[in-house]
Amino acid sequence: MQTLDPTANSNPQGTQPSFDRQDWLSGYRSQPQEFDYWIDQVEGEIPADLNGTLFRNGPGLLDIGGHPVRHPFDGDGMISAIAFRNGRAFYRNRYVKTEGYVAEQKADKPLFRGVFGTQKLGGWLANAFDLKLKNIANTNILYWGDRLLALWEAAHPHRLDPHTLDTQGLDNLDGLLAEGDAFSAHPRIDPDVNGQPRLVNFGVKAGLSSTLSLYEFDPQGTLVSHHSHTIPGFAFLHDFALTPRYAIFFQNPVSFNPIPFLLGMKGAAECLKFNPKQPTRILLVPRDGSTPITVDSDPCFVFHHANAYEQDGKVVIDSICYDRFPSVEDGNDYKTVNFDKVPPGQLRRFTVDLATQQATSRDLVTRSCEFPVMHPDLVGRSCRYLYLGVTHAPSGNAPLQGLLKLDLETGEEQIWSAASRGFGGEAVFVPRPNGSAEDDGWLLLLLYNAERQCSDLAIFDAQDITRGPIARLLLNHHVPYGLHGSFVPMDFGPQAA
Ligand code: CO
């Protein structure tokens, strides 16, 4: 593996594929086992002042009883927790014991349809008009107000014990969520509302017109604000951005044709159609509950936002944009995806002038990127640094193998790559206790290491990622490619005997 030689990786160029497809696919093997252990294989040194718990969520099973899921997003949620304590680290993983997981593990075969096209056995006849979706709890994991919640955007969260990761059941948030209500997998934490952090999240009921609900919670988890709005048209909203005054959503120009879904031929997400003639609608939803502002922008597709802030009568939003819906082509399996046909994600800055209600945009990063993260204390404020998962090559689409630090002030990019045999994803930025500079902290990145067929947790000094990891924790097994996660300063490692 060439990953510890920064000079070889600091500025990846070249035209050869940066990865081997079998290597990449080997990170999509199911991980049916659950583990608890102190990580004893460590290259480099875990910083002694890095203390707390990293939580990650993602699909852990890529098959059910040997029947493969059609798309990894249909895989059952598996939580990993890595607790850091005085230079040591403890790993634990557990499945979210959802109703669907428990029933399917017992039956040893798929019993539910997946949103991304996984079907029950027996062809379309067995699937037609079965609209019962499985809450797979596989997208994000949040600790707030003494609750650890596994999130999946279309349903209620599952509550887990943060010490053991045992599933305690569905959580309706003290009765706030009614049957069928959604609670998104992309909450944001406003670092300062009257001196206190505030959790903000949304839920959407999409249809011919859509209903968007916005919730805000104080540090104890008590609801302090809740309002709902009707949005014209079908709204596929995965994430949002936050400023002190607004929750900001991008309504992608997609329509939903339910017929193939109803007939049991396709998953719901496979029935989305991108309309390149429709604008992308930027929705600024005032957090005080007043009427949303709608501003049209050029058509693009957005899953994730990096950050947003307000300045001089303008709202600035940095988002990962695709020129069209980045779906696997019709009838194709994710395993055989032709990366040349999938549009790259690009970091784009949108500026909305509140007086004229016009939006302009420009590209910030054109190398294919996803999963932007930043210093948590600057959410909703102008920040200087963003950290993104990127491809090894400067153009085209491919699996994410690198990490990019962007200086928004100078435009400077630092890049580190795990190619050819390492594969990345979303990093988490952890500020150094008592640090003062915005980039004084660490990036924690779970890498799949195809050489070992296992995963490594890489720790970077965020001030210079080109040095490569300052510590690499070698797990005893692999963690299938995951989605999102979070870090809390509390130590949820094993309790003293
Ligand atoms: Co997401």
Side-chain angles (χ1 to χ4, degrees):
M1 215 161 165
Q2 49 172 301
T3 47
L4 291 175
D5 178 359
T7 54
N9 295 298
S10 56
N11 186 21
Q13 293 290 339
T15 51
Q16 293 297 313
S18 62
F19 69 101
D20 173 90
R21 186 174 282 263
Q22 286 313 313
D23 272 359
W24 172 62
L25 286 174
S26 67
Y28 276 128
R29 284 168 294 140
S30 290
Q31 176 52 276
Q33 285 179 272
E34 296 179 327
F35 302 93
D36 302 82
Y37 60 97
W38 286 100
I39 301 167
D40 57 14
Q41 296 184 75
V42 178
E43 293 172 0
E45 221 167 292
I46 302 172
D49 48 352
L50 170 60
N51 287 296
T53 307
L54 172 72
F55 291 110
R56 302 291 312 164
N57 195 353
L61 288 183
L62 286 308
D63 73 282
I64 298 157
H67 304 285
V69 296
R70 182 160 165 81
H71 192 284
F73 291 173
D74 281 341
D76 288 291
M78 185 186 93
I79 310 299
S80 292
I82 300 179
F84 297 90
R85 184 184 296 169
N86 306 324
R88 295 186 70 201
F90 186 89
Y91 179 87
R92 171 178 287 137
N93 73 311
R94 290 291 183 275
Y95 274 88
V96 186
K97 304 297 185 326
T98 65
E99 186 194 349
Y101 172 88
V102 172
E104 288 182 332
Q105 289 306 301
K106 197 168 162 211
D108 205 29
K109 65 177 186 182
L111 301 175
F112 297 85
R113 303 178 66 191
V115 172
F116 289 86
T118 301
Q119 303 280 36
K120 297 187 289 184
L121 306 181
W124 68 270
L125 259 177
N127 290 281
F129 305 107
D130 180 354
L131 307 185
K132 187 168 164 46
L133 295 174
K134 179 176 151 193
N135 179 346
I136 47 178
N138 71 357
T139 313
N140 204 346
I141 174 107
L142 163 77
Y143 183 76
W144 187 262
D146 274 337
R147 284 176 220 229
L148 183 66
L149 300 174
L151 304 174
W152 183 63
E153 69 189 19
H156 291 197
H158 281 81
R159 187 168 179 176
L160 312 177
D161 180 317
H163 294 279
T164 62
L165 301 182
D166 290 344
T167 303
Q168 297 172 326
L170 285 167
D171 193 325
N172 65 13
L173 307 177
D174 304 322
L176 171 64
L177 302 177
E179 184 78 29
D181 278 354
F183 192 69
S184 114
H186 277 286
R188 297 257 170 193
I189 297 172
D190 185 330
D192 182 9
V193 177
N194 305 322
Q196 287 208 308
R198 173 79 67 88
L199 179 76
V200 185
N201 200 11
F202 69 97
V204 64
K205 268 186 195 157
L208 291 174
S209 79
S210 305
T211 306
L212 172 65
S213 299
L214 200 68
Y215 309 101
E216 304 206 10
F217 304 86
D218 72 11
Q220 287 71 46
T222 306
L223 183 76
V224 287
S225 158
H226 173 205
H227 43 93
S228 297
H229 304 274
T230 302
I231 309 291
F234 178 80
F236 176 91
L237 309 174
H238 176 70
D239 188 10
F240 76 120
L242 190 69
T243 69
R245 286 196 295 165
Y246 299 105
I248 303 157
F249 298 85
F250 277 36
Q251 189 177 3
N252 294 303
V254 290
S255 53
F256 179 65
N257 172 9
I259 305 298
F261 172 64
L262 292 174
L263 291 180
M265 299 159 86
K266 283 184 174 185
E270 295 176 298
C271 300
L272 291 177
K273 191 173 183 308
F274 186 78
N275 186 348
K277 295 200 171 112
Q278 248 179 44
T280 288
R281 277 195 205 125
I282 302 174
L283 306 169
L284 304 172
V285 181
R287 289 170 62 184
D288 67 8
S290 50
T291 308
I293 301 164
T294 304
V295 177
D296 284 354
S297 185
D298 294 336
C300 65
F301 192 91
V302 172
F303 285 108
H304 297 127
H305 302 284
N307 191 29
Y309 63 94
E310 300 169 43
Q311 198 168 57
D312 306 326
K314 296 185 171 71
V315 179
V316 178
I317 311 123
D318 294 340
S319 310
I320 308 286
C321 294
Y322 298 85
D323 286 341
R324 57 188 189 279
F325 182 53
S327 63
V328 175
E329 314 93 280
D330 266 357
N332 230 331
D333 193 88
Y334 73 95
K335 292 176 186 162
T336 56
V337 62
N338 179 352
F339 282 99
D340 293 337
K341 291 196 170 168
V342 183
Q346 298 176 319
L347 183 69
R348 198 166 293 166
R349 168 158 290 188
F350 295 81
T351 304
V352 176
D353 186 319
L354 289 170
T356 63
Q357 302 209 348
Q358 300 282 317
T360 55
S361 68
R362 66 184 171 94
D363 283 341
L364 297 177
V365 174
T366 53
R367 181 186 297 265
S368 189
C369 55
E370 252 300 350
F371 298 129
V373 297
M374 58 177 292
H375 194 300
D377 291 353
L378 291 170
V379 170
R381 284 80 180 154
S382 172
C383 71
R384 179 162 177 184
Y385 300 110
L386 294 177
Y387 311 92
L388 306 125
V390 291
T391 53
H392 179 80
S395 61
N397 203 333
L400 301 174
Q401 293 187 282
L403 191 59
L404 185 149
K405 175 187 182 183
L406 175 66
D407 184 335
L408 288 161
E409 224 167 272
T410 64
E412 188 207 342
E413 294 180 357
Q414 283 183 6
I415 297 172
W416 174 84
S417 167
S420 62
R421 307 201 71 184
F423 299 88
E426 181 191 74
V428 172
F429 178 84
V430 181
R432 185 191 304 275
N434 308 313
S436 53
E438 185 186 319
D439 58 353
D440 191 2
W442 304 281
L443 290 160
L444 309 184
L445 175 64
L446 201 54
L447 289 168
Y448 174 66
N449 181 338
E451 192 180 322
R452 295 200 309 121
Q453 304 270 303
C454 288
S455 297
D456 302 343
L457 193 274
I459 303 174
F460 294 82
D461 176 346
Q463 296 199 315
D464 184 3
I465 67 166
T466 64
R467 281 171 60 196
I470 55 171
R472 188 185 275 268
L473 289 58
L474 310 186
L475 303 187
N476 297 341
H477 49 82
H478 79 290
V479 176
Y481 300 120
L483 293 167
H484 301 291
S486 51
F487 183 89
V488 292
M490 288 75 103
D491 180 347
F492 289 119
Q495 285 156 307

